[in-house]
Amino acid sequence: MNTNLRDRLGLGEAQRVEPTLDTVHEAPAPDGLPDRWAEVRSQVHALLLERLDLEALGQLSPPQMRQALKTAVERLFEDERLALNAAERRRIVTEMQDEMLGLGPLEPLLADATVSDILVNTHRQVYVERRGRLELTPVRFNDDTHLMKVIDRIVSRVGRRVDESSPMVDARLADGSRVNAIIPPLAIDGPILSIRRFAADPLRMDDLLALGSLSAPMAAFLDALVRARVNLLVSGGTGSGKTTLLNVLGASIPAGERVVTIEDAAELQLQQPHVVRLETRPPNVEGRGEVAQRLLVRNALRMRPDRIIVGETRGAEALDMLQAMNTGHEGSMTTIHANTPRDALARLESMIAMAGVDLPARAARAQVASAIGVVVQASRLSDGTRKIVSIQELTGSEGEVVSMQEIFSFRQTGVGSDGGVQGHFVASGIRPRHWEQLVTRGAGLPLEVFEPTAVLPRAGAVAGHGRAQRPVLTEALQGA
């Protein structure tokens, strides 16, 4: 390491690179530099580990740890006589802090508020999603071993593991972001890591309005349904914003109610003062100790909940969830993977069969029809935007079919020259069957809300953040 670092990087004076704090993580290095820079960074890391007292370091607070690492790295620069400019020193210091205290190369992406998804396709390739579009980044890991260390660090923090005997894992970050990792032998080319991020400040209904995800009448209707304790099913495909929408709807729950949430990986960020959060547990090394969602739903019934919110219904817990909705836990909510409201109901029926109960199809269908009040369909459109494309009300069952009527929908009319989806929200003109329930429970809406008037999506979000400029939902609710 006494070799001049600039020589190790293959840079002469004519090739001198002056990175800045703003570009050091984004700008690709000159040809041949990434591998050499990674090599030198690894050697600096190894020397740092030799010098540090990790046990003593672990007793410090996070800010103190970062300062101690900065001091240690700067002392290493002097002892090894490394010829570095100020920007390169800052880069090494930041990378060492990220490596030892955070998630290494991913830390700059996690600090970027515009990034909604981080997709690591082996150590060589990292994609991010910004504003609904995928982008390839210059971020790289040194090798698969480096990536595995980061994955192990994530899953160990929530008491989970990933290895050849258990090569798939779901976990979460401290901010609630959802993490999925899959490693060889299931992942052929190397470890794969996916991070679905959640904002530190959860979106509100006003934000969805400003983003054009729904219209003001739709927002007013959904808010009234939650306050009137109508059971809701949020349906949509992967990445359509189901969990985000569930969070937004949860904000309408009165503060005086006891809410129990049940999830595979805790993602919901409800702000009510009386929320009990439950999370499933995977089996241990011996294959024992698993606690599935169905057991948590059953246990939740004994916890005196006013409402039960299941993050996502995937299997046999569907039967217990529907029974809870039918036995006094009105206003409960869950999400499901489905492309249409009708498909969502069909999937629920299939999940009831997974419960191992000899329930005739007709009885299962009747269970669904009586438990679910409204299905809200979310979708991610071709331009990356997320919209509520349909709100349908269940009106009972007729023979072998659950009857539904659409209250609101999004009608796409075309695609603009910039690739943006064009269309409008519209009400069907049908007065909801639940309208009287809304009125009697103090959440009534004027019938004008349901008039079949086309409403163009709003366009006024703060760039990159999706925050509403003014309380547009309040306007929609005036006169209700």
Side-chain angles (χ1 to χ4, degrees):
M1 278 300 290
N2 289 326
T3 305
N4 185 289
L5 180 59
R6 195 172 304 285
D7 293 336
R8 292 295 309 275
L9 295 176
L11 294 175
E13 289 302 318
Q15 296 173 294
R16 188 176 182 86
V17 177
E18 297 288 350
T20 67
L21 284 176
D22 294 331
T23 62
V24 74
H25 293 292
E26 292 83 6
D31 292 342
L33 179 58
D35 291 339
R36 291 186 180 130
W37 182 269
E39 179 186 349
V40 173
R41 182 177 56 202
S42 297
Q43 293 186 30
V44 171
H45 187 204
L47 280 174
L48 196 59
L49 289 176
E50 291 177 6
R51 296 183 174 211
L52 287 174
D53 183 346
L54 297 180
E55 184 176 349
L57 187 67
Q59 297 175 358
L60 301 177
S61 66
Q64 291 174 327
M65 292 171 69
R66 297 192 76 86
Q67 183 58 44
L69 281 172
K70 179 180 179 182
T71 301
V73 174
E74 289 176 344
R75 186 177 296 122
L76 186 149
F77 291 156
E78 299 303 324
D79 293 345
E80 299 294 332
R81 298 181 182 180
L82 300 179
L84 297 170
N85 60 40
E88 289 168 340
R89 290 187 178 225
R90 288 195 299 269
R91 174 176 181 175
I92 286 286
V93 168
T94 300
E95 290 184 353
M96 289 304 101
Q97 290 173 329
D98 291 343
E99 192 64 45
M100 301 191 71
L101 303 179
L103 301 183
L106 299 182
E107 283 295 320
L109 302 180
L110 292 170
D112 188 344
T114 66
V115 173
S116 57
D117 291 279
I118 301 173
L119 309 173
V120 182
N121 303 334
T122 74
H123 72 275
R124 306 179 190 87
Q125 192 180 69
V126 179
Y127 278 87
V128 298
E129 181 187 289
R130 286 190 175 94
R131 304 177 185 87
R133 302 281 187 174
L134 288 177
E135 302 175 9
L136 179 63
T137 73
V139 173
R140 302 290 184 273
F141 290 83
N142 296 341
D143 48 36
D144 284 345
T145 302
H146 185 199
L147 175 54
M148 279 301 304
K149 287 180 179 178
V150 172
I151 293 174
D152 286 333
R153 190 174 303 165
I154 293 172
V155 301
S156 63
R157 288 174 180 173
V158 292
R160 305 198 175 185
R161 65 184 180 87
V162 59
D163 51 39
E164 286 191 6
S165 62
S166 179
M168 295 184 294
V169 66
D170 284 316
R172 67 177 186 277
L173 301 181
D175 64 358
S177 297
R178 182 171 59 194
V179 177
N180 176 269
I182 182 167
I183 67 172
L186 301 187
I188 298 174
D189 298 320
I192 307 296
L193 177 67
S194 305
I195 301 177
R196 303 290 306 278
R197 297 194 60 206
F198 293 91
D201 182 16
L203 293 178
R204 302 179 299 273
M205 189 69 81
D206 287 336
D207 301 315
L208 297 189
L209 281 162
L211 287 167
S213 297
L214 74 173
S215 66
M218 294 166 71
F221 183 51
L222 291 176
D223 177 78
L225 289 173
V226 175
R227 290 188 289 123
R229 300 178 64 87
V230 175
N231 296 326
L232 299 181
L233 177 65
V234 178
S235 168
T238 300
S240 60
K242 298 186 299 297
T243 303
T244 298
L245 181 56
L246 199 61
N247 260 322
V248 170
L249 295 174
S252 298
I253 298 175
E257 296 187 17
R258 176 177 170 87
V259 181
V260 177
T261 67
I262 300 167
E263 302 173 83
D264 271 337
E267 304 172 82
L268 296 174
Q269 299 169 291
L270 301 185
Q271 304 302 308
Q272 281 76 8
H274 200 165
V275 176
V276 178
R277 305 169 73 205
L278 305 180
E279 186 179 48
T280 61
R281 186 177 71 184
N284 58 20
V285 179
E286 292 79 23
R288 301 175 181 174
E290 180 181 12
V291 179
Q293 278 199 143
R294 187 176 189 187
L295 291 177
L296 292 180
V297 173
R298 288 179 175 178
N299 188 78
L301 297 177
R302 305 183 182 99
M303 298 173 66
R304 198 263 173 215
D306 289 307
R307 305 183 194 229
I308 297 175
I309 299 179
V310 178
E312 182 178 339
T313 301
R314 293 191 179 96
E317 69 273 6
L319 177 60
D320 300 276
M321 183 67 190
L322 292 174
Q323 288 179 336
M325 289 178 169
N326 275 325
T327 55
H329 300 90
E330 295 177 317
S332 295
M333 295 181 276
T334 187
T335 71
I336 191 170
H337 269 84
N339 293 325
T340 67
R342 181 66 63 182
D343 289 345
L345 300 186
R347 285 210 66 206
L348 276 179
E349 290 184 39
S350 300
M351 291 175 186
I352 291 174
M354 296 168 62
V357 179
D358 188 16
L359 193 67
R362 187 184 186 93
R365 199 167 296 121
Q367 186 89 271
V368 171
S370 62
I372 303 297
V374 171
V375 180
V376 183
Q377 183 70 36
S379 181
R380 179 178 173 181
L381 304 183
S382 59
D383 60 354
T385 59
R386 296 168 173 86
K387 297 188 187 300
I388 295 177
V389 296
S390 181
I391 299 178
Q392 296 199 25
E393 180 184 50
L394 276 66
T395 58
S397 57
E398 299 176 0
E400 299 296 320
V401 179
V402 176
S403 55
M404 307 173 72
Q405 59 184 15
E406 190 166 61
I407 309 301
F408 292 98
S409 64
F410 175 76
R411 297 181 182 174
Q412 183 174 341
T413 57
V415 178
S417 58
D418 59 351
V421 169
Q422 297 175 337
H424 56 267
F425 298 105
V426 65
S428 63
I430 299 173
R431 190 183 80 170
R433 186 173 63 92
H434 286 93
W435 184 78
E436 292 182 1
Q437 181 178 340
L438 301 184
V439 173
T440 57
R441 296 191 177 184
L445 295 173
L447 290 177
E448 289 77 11
V449 169
F450 307 106
E451 290 182 355
T453 304
V455 179
L456 292 175
R458 285 180 179 263
V462 179
H465 297 283
R467 290 293 173 201
Q469 304 270 4
R470 53 197 176 92
V472 285
L473 179 57
T474 303
E475 299 173 6
L477 294 173
Q478 285 179 351

